[in-house]
Amino acid sequence: MTREILSVRNLEKTYETGGERLTVFKGLSFSVEEGSKTVILGKSGSGKSTLLNIIGSIDTATAGTVQAGPWNVTALAEREQAAYRSKFLGLIFQFHYLLKDFTALENVWLPAYMGGTSKKEAVARARALLSDVGLSDREAHLPSELSGGERQRVAVARALVNDPSLILADEPTGNLDPATAAVIGELLFSMADRYRKTLVLVTHDLGLAEKGGARYTLGASGLEPADLGGGAR
């Protein structure tokens, strides 16, 4: 029997600047089952990244609740937010955010070590993950010595190093050429399957969206089932 791992209820995000109010979304509700692969499409400015940032406790909601596993995300204190991101989440962004002065291997094992794992175990995990993403021969290279696709492979490995329950991916192929994007998209879904992770991904890439088990489009009326045949780009 599948279990609900993420529940978003009546979520609202409104920005106030110069006396003006801009509501990005309001009354947004959906749930995600453990082990599922959910893809959210939408036009630029529709709030896809904002939604993911709220789920990831990087941004705050104006109203509503987000429950992720045992974590009441919308009520977390700052210290609890850091623990939530470290212990429960794996985060992948459009830009890799690798530390430029650290090797691929160091970029992967450091988050585990900082989270309390021994260095020996963290390095072993990192090596295994880099092998899984096809970078065993590149682990001593700096980010500047890696291609764009290789950097995203490192980012995928880093997202998995703390054995998260939920992976959030924000336009993970957005900076890549179409051929490389297809390879990284396939890798991301295959790694989520291999490690039995729940994946929530936002993208404008219809090819990537086709891999999702549940596909939605975020628009003015909230989340609706995505029509991949028409204009979700």
Side-chain angles (χ1 to χ4, degrees), residues 200-224:
V200 177
L201 179 148
V202 302
T203 185
H204 68 276
D205 185 334
L206 298 185
L208 187 57
E210 287 174 350
K211 300 179 185 301
R215 300 182 290 261
Y216 302 99
T217 298
L218 179 58
S221 56
L223 279 180
E224 297 180 349

Side-chain angles (χ1 to χ4, degrees), residues 71-150:
W71 303 85
N72 181 355
V73 179
T74 38
L76 295 178
E78 188 172 342
R79 180 177 296 181
E80 294 170 323
Q81 291 172 353
Y84 164 64
R85 289 191 293 265
S86 173
K87 298 178 184 299
F88 193 81
L89 295 183
L91 299 169
I92 305 170
F93 301 96
Q94 182 172 347
F95 186 70
H96 53 79
Y97 293 113
L98 300 179
L99 300 172
K100 66 183 181 67
D101 296 324
F102 291 81
T103 65
L105 181 63
E106 289 167 337
N107 266 283
V108 177
W109 69 254
L110 275 169
Y113 180 65
M114 293 174 66
T117 303
S118 72
K119 182 177 178 180
K120 182 178 180 180
E121 183 180 346
V123 171
R125 282 189 207 170
R127 283 215 161 96
L129 285 164
L130 285 174
S131 176
D132 284 346
V133 299
L135 290 180
S136 287
D137 60 340
R138 308 289 279 172
E139 64 179 38
H141 288 65
L142 297 172
S144 61
E145 300 170 319
L146 302 174
S147 69
E150 287 172 335

